[in-house]
Amino acid sequence: MTTATPTVGVGTQATGTPTRATRVRKRLNTRTATLVSIVIALLWTVPTFGLFISSFRPENEIKTTGWWTFFTNPQFTLENYQEVLFSSSSSSGQLASYFINSLAITIPSVLFPLAFASLAAYALAWINFKGRDLLYIAIFALQIVPLQMALVPLLKFFSTGVTIAGVTVLPAWDLVDEQKFAQVWFAHTCFALPFAVFLLHNFISQLPRDLMEAARVDGATHPKIFRTIVLPLITPALAAFGIFQFLWVWNDLLVALIFAGGGNETAPLTVRLAEMAGTRGNEWQRLTAGAFVSIVVPLIVFLSLQRYFVRGLLSGSVKG
């Protein structure tokens, strides 16, 4: 005589009650939640849509009427985009070269924190060493320090180096032109590491302990465990942080302006957009086209990694 083994449905505990994750999903699938999501999406999208419409309107129309009048009196032109992208004027054009500068600043400023933070998060989560918890608390506490407080010390570090008791420990960087990109990469990496380590540590620490122990029994070392097990499992978290960091660095003006300067060789897109407004801030037609050009790349990055972004935010937020 055999005894049937009771089965547990997906999203339910052994007692038959729904898990916490299932209850959260049900609450987010209600009509009220859907309506709130639609309202938020509309409020978030309308300004961008208005910016898009304005970028194709003539200068006189932009300065005298609102973008919504386009539907009653449609006037279309590509002059704004031609001016900001390809014009030889020093006050309005040459946006394409600054676009390349932004890419040169943003891509390494995303990859460096991802690499360093993932290694540090794994060590803090799965390697036992003295002072580990205190180190993690210190890294977490660094998130509350405004980056503006670190600008002057960091700039002094680049310009004069580090000297202790008259002995030069680290010399000045003395970088020029395109070499100043390294200063921006270093600054953005320092500012991003506390949050990156915190985010990835919370994700990595929730990986199954049995999985790690089984790998150790099979003779896997920490580098192999990190490379073959941890990295594939934390891809959603890496993508989530990567999107946050990409948007932050791409839209940054202060850090890039201080450490890279405002020259044509190193200045990012945001510096050029600020200059395009004109000395009196009245060149709106340039800003509409230039601003929309600047958001194309972040939109592509977000849409291409959206599924990983959502999984990275939700993973570890609820437990069964």
Side-chain angles (χ1 to χ4, degrees):
M1 185 175 182
T2 59
T3 302
T5 302
T7 59
V8 179
V10 177
T12 60
Q13 298 176 348
T15 58
T17 59
T19 63
R20 185 180 303 174
T22 302
R23 293 194 296 269
V24 170
R25 291 191 186 97
K26 288 182 178 180
R27 292 175 182 176
L28 294 178
N29 288 330
T30 61
R31 292 183 178 180
T32 302
T34 302
L35 180 61
V36 171
S37 300
I38 294 175
V39 172
I40 294 175
L42 288 175
L43 292 176
W44 192 267
T45 306
V46 166
T48 304
F49 179 72
L51 181 68
F52 177 73
I53 293 295
S54 298
S55 66
F56 292 101
R57 302 179 70 209
E59 176 182 354
N60 183 62
E61 292 294 317
I62 292 177
K63 294 181 178 180
T64 57
T65 60
W67 64 267
W68 50 88
T69 60
F70 174 83
F71 300 102
T72 58
N73 182 27
Q75 296 188 38
F76 181 85
T77 181
L78 293 176
E79 183 179 351
N80 298 332
Y81 285 96
Q82 182 179 0
E83 184 180 3
V84 301
L85 288 175
F86 308 111
S87 174
S88 58
S89 172
S90 60
S91 61
S92 61
Q94 304 173 353
L95 199 64
S97 60
Y98 291 83
F99 194 89
I100 301 301
N101 290 345
S102 285
L103 288 176
I105 290 174
T106 304
I107 294 176
S109 297
V110 172
L111 296 180
F112 288 150
L114 279 176
F116 296 145
S118 58
L119 292 171
Y122 174 80
L124 292 170
W126 292 104
I127 299 178
N128 293 321
F129 57 90
K130 188 176 181 180
R132 182 184 67 173
D133 295 338
L134 292 177
L135 179 59
Y136 176 69
I137 293 173
I139 294 175
F140 174 78
L142 287 175
Q143 296 182 72
I144 67 175
V145 178
L147 66 87
Q148 291 82 359
M149 294 181 60
L151 294 179
V152 174
L154 196 55
L155 187 60
K156 185 177 180 180
F157 166 71
F158 290 141
S159 59
T160 63
V162 178
T163 302
I164 300 178
V167 178
T168 301
V169 180
L170 292 174
W173 289 39
D174 293 330
L175 304 180
V176 295
D177 297 334
E178 290 83 357
Q179 296 175 351
K180 291 185 177 180
F181 282 141
Q183 297 182 164
V184 188
W185 300 338
F186 186 91
H188 278 302
T189 301
C190 293
F191 298 146
L193 278 177
F195 175 69
V197 172
F198 172 73
L199 177 67
L200 296 179
H201 173 271
N202 289 345
F203 196 98
I204 294 175
S205 62
Q206 292 181 7
L207 296 178
R209 182 171 294 275
D210 294 341
L211 182 63
M212 299 297 182
E213 292 178 352
R216 294 194 186 98
V217 170
D218 291 338
T221 59
H222 283 297
K224 186 174 183 180
I225 293 175
F226 176 78
R227 184 178 66 257
T228 60
I229 297 178
V230 175
L231 276 183
L233 293 176
I234 66 173
T235 299
L238 293 175
F241 173 76
I243 291 175
F244 276 126
Q245 180 68 358
F246 189 96
L247 295 177
W248 167 258
V249 177
W250 184 268
N251 294 321
D252 170 70
L253 171 63
L254 179 62
V255 176
L257 185 60
I258 291 177
F259 296 113
N264 297 340
E265 300 83 3
T266 57
L269 199 61
T270 50
V271 173
R272 188 55 176 167
L273 288 176
E275 295 174 349
M276 285 169 52
T279 56
R280 299 182 180 179
N282 60 343
E283 301 297 337
W284 303 343
Q285 78 283 357
R286 299 176 188 169
L287 288 181
T288 55
F292 199 82
V293 168
S294 70
I295 68 175
V296 170
V297 172
L299 281 177
I300 294 175
V301 171
F302 178 79
L303 293 177
S304 61
L305 299 177
Q306 183 180 14
R307 60 192 182 100
Y308 295 108
F309 178 74
V310 175
R311 286 169 54 190
L313 291 181
L314 295 180
S315 297
S317 60
V318 292
K319 295 182 181 180

